[in-house]
Amino acid sequence: MSRRLSAGFIVSLFAAASAQAQDFGKTLCAQAGNAGRIDVKAVRDKALEGVPLSLLDANNDDTISPEEKIAALTEKTFCDIRKCSVAEGKAVLQARNRISDVWGAHFERRDTFTGLDCGPPAASLATPLAAKETVGDQLRTPPLLMGKDIDSLSVQRGADRDRSALQKVAPAEIGVEVDRVKNTRTVAIDAVLGWRAVDTESITLIPFVQYVRSNVRDREAGTDDRSGKLGLGIVGNGFIGNEQFAFAPRYARDLVDRSELLSVRMTWRPGFLYKLDTFQRALPFACSERGKGGNCRPGTGLGLWTDFQLVSAFGTVLREGADPLLTRGREFVRVGPSASAHLFGNEGLFRDLSLNVFYKHLFRLSGDGTAIEDVRVDVNYWIAGSPNVSLVYGYERSRDEETLKRTDLWRLGLGVRF
């Protein structure tokens, strides 16, 4: 069942992406009755549909001038200056490629464009057209990705010059905990490392390796309790309109009891959420400086990111391990929500601090009788203002989606993210 669903998901993703690549000029002319001339303002505004108004308002005066709209369509450094998120960058690129379609299929030269003629296309252009832009032209994020879990690979990232670009990414952790009362010592590693192998306007493919390890040594009892997991897979992440989907087949092996599991994880971030300031780009508040329109000036006050997605997980046990209770049921299907909030400082005392709250609950639809719940609260101090390395202290109560092993502890460690 899961294989048929997976194949259908991939086919629908690519089919929708192909449908969106139709010629923008032909679409406009069809809407205008395929006759006459469409004013340049109408072409410009139609092309910019999907680009957030708050992004176009460059001077934060709560009004959008024609010059600001033209800048989004023509200036190569627009997303660098405005610190576009990945979703915003894709919306800007889609707008530019629509305009490129018009220039490439109709009479007007791009440097004297005054409107769209719905007559037959010209035999040649007076000036050659550059190739369509890609995500890499605007968002020069590095291909190496690192975080705490699979979601950290597909979560929204901003432009690499933006201090808040990685605020939604849960950092990978290396921690050491010494409990002097119980006389125990815990060493834990929890990390996912991915490589952005394919990055286009419609889809991103990220092969990854996941490693989870925990050693709890009880000196009085003379025991060494170990747990661990090795996971291999690939994340396919894409947009259909404003709807974001991620598809992740993966293989996991428990390093202690030797159980093996094959799963497929699919997530959906609803497109309407990208209209929210806290979801599309960090919402500034409690700022010390404001612009003419009353908006916070960039780099001041506090910032708030939010994230939400629906998760569905399908899996089958390839090999039962030494603990059969952890792999009870040969197959499983789980569905549920995942949400997070990320509060961080831009200046002053809170500049290098962030507070992250995560919650996930996957309900069982079939298979084993265990629901998955994950609750995490982390406080990070970003060393010397680094967006990549932090000291993290937090609490986690969770159950692994694949091995079903429980975690309930306070953590202190080093966090790393890219």
Side-chain angles (χ1 to χ4, degrees):
M1 176 182 67
S2 61
R3 293 176 181 174
R4 290 195 295 269
L5 289 174
S6 302
F9 177 82
I10 295 175
V11 170
S12 63
L13 184 63
F14 280 98
S18 298
Q20 288 186 341
Q22 61 181 308
D23 182 87
F24 177 61
K26 291 180 180 178
T27 302
L28 282 179
C29 284
Q31 293 174 353
N34 201 33
R37 188 179 184 82
I38 301 176
D39 183 77
V40 63
K41 294 181 181 179
V43 177
R44 177 199 64 200
D45 292 344
K46 190 68 176 178
L48 286 170
E49 284 187 357
V51 178
L53 297 180
S54 58
L55 183 66
L56 298 175
D57 186 12
N59 58 6
N60 295 320
D61 63 355
D62 295 332
T63 60
I64 302 173
S65 66
E67 291 77 14
E68 288 173 326
K69 294 180 179 180
I70 293 299
L73 291 171
T74 60
E75 293 183 4
K76 295 284 291 184
T77 59
F78 177 82
C79 270
D80 287 334
I81 295 173
R82 297 295 291 154
K83 299 178 180 178
C84 298
S85 67
V86 172
E88 289 172 336
K90 289 184 177 180
V92 171
L93 292 174
Q94 287 175 346
R96 293 182 179 181
N97 288 336
R98 289 167 185 159
I99 290 295
S100 178
D101 285 339
V102 172
W103 282 329
H106 297 270
F107 283 114
E108 307 293 347
R109 286 176 49 181
R110 64 192 308 170
D111 56 351
T112 60
F113 185 74
T114 59
L116 172 60
D117 190 337
C118 287
S124 62
L125 291 172
T127 55
L129 285 175
K132 285 190 177 183
E133 296 178 72
T134 65
V135 175
D137 294 331
Q138 285 294 326
L139 304 174
R140 298 184 296 276
T141 53
L144 180 66
L145 307 175
M146 176 176 281
K148 182 181 178 67
D149 49 30
I150 305 299
D151 290 333
S152 65
L153 301 180
S154 62
V155 77
Q156 182 182 6
R157 286 169 164 81
D160 52 353
R161 298 182 185 179
D162 188 354
R163 285 191 70 253
S164 68
L166 298 175
Q167 289 294 344
K168 283 190 178 183
V169 180
E173 294 181 18
I174 303 173
V176 177
E177 178 184 337
V178 178
D179 190 326
R180 295 186 180 277
V181 175
K182 297 181 179 179
N183 200 18
T184 61
R185 184 180 66 184
T186 303
V187 179
I189 300 174
D190 202 346
V192 175
L193 183 65
W195 180 265
R196 191 185 289 109
V198 176
D199 189 10
T200 68
E201 184 176 327
S202 58
I203 194 167
T204 304
L205 296 178
I206 307 170
F208 68 86
V209 58
Q210 181 180 25
Y211 184 73
V212 179
R213 189 78 178 186
S214 177
N215 285 55
V216 181
R217 177 173 295 180
D218 188 326
R219 296 180 180 179
E220 291 184 357
T223 60
D224 190 357
D225 186 14
R226 296 179 299 159
S227 64
K229 178 179 71 172
L230 177 66
L232 300 173
I234 185 169
V235 175
N237 182 53
F239 283 83
I240 299 178
N242 290 325
E243 312 295 319
Q244 182 183 3
F245 295 90
F247 174 83
R250 55 179 173 171
Y251 161 84
R253 177 183 175 88
D254 191 293
L255 299 177
V256 178
D257 66 27
R258 308 302 181 186
S259 61
E260 298 178 16
L261 183 142
L262 184 64
S263 66
V264 176
R265 195 173 190 269
M266 293 185 289
T267 62
W268 169 45
R269 289 183 173 90
F272 72 88
L273 293 175
Y274 281 100
K275 297 180 181 179
L276 303 177
D277 287 340
T278 59
F279 196 87
Q280 172 76 331
R281 52 209 317 260
L283 175 68
F285 66 98
C287 50
S288 58
E289 298 181 39
R290 295 183 179 272
K292 295 181 180 179
N295 296 324
C296 291
R297 291 193 179 279
T300 63
L302 302 175
L304 176 65
W305 276 111
T306 58
D307 193 35
F308 177 85
Q309 60 181 343
L310 293 177
V311 180
S312 58
F314 311 81
T316 181
V317 176
L318 301 177
R319 177 184 177 183
E320 292 189 356
D323 188 348
L325 293 179
L326 296 179
T327 53
R328 183 174 50 225
R330 300 296 299 180
E331 297 181 347
F332 66 83
V333 179
R334 304 188 189 102
V335 176
S338 173
S340 62
H342 313 266
L343 181 66
F344 60 95
N346 287 314
E347 61 179 347
L349 180 64
F350 301 103
R351 176 179 171 81
D352 298 328
L353 294 175
S354 67
L355 171 66
N356 308 302
V357 180
F358 304 85
Y359 180 76
K360 175 178 64 182
H361 192 105
L362 302 185
F363 298 92
R364 177 189 65 86
L365 297 185
S366 67
D368 66 77
T370 304
I372 301 296
E373 187 175 49
D374 186 352
V375 178
R376 282 181 280 157
V377 180
D378 299 332
V379 176
N380 287 270
Y381 168 70
W382 299 96
I383 301 173
S386 169
N388 307 111
V389 182
S390 71
L391 293 176
V392 57
Y393 180 71
Y395 172 74
E396 178 176 353
R397 187 183 75 243
S398 65
R399 184 185 291 272
D400 189 273
E401 286 186 28
E402 294 161 331
T403 66
L404 302 183
K405 292 188 176 180
R406 297 182 60 88
T407 299
D408 191 346
L409 53 81
W410 291 90
R411 311 184 320 276
L412 176 63
L414 184 69
V416 182
R417 66 185 181 188
F418 291 101

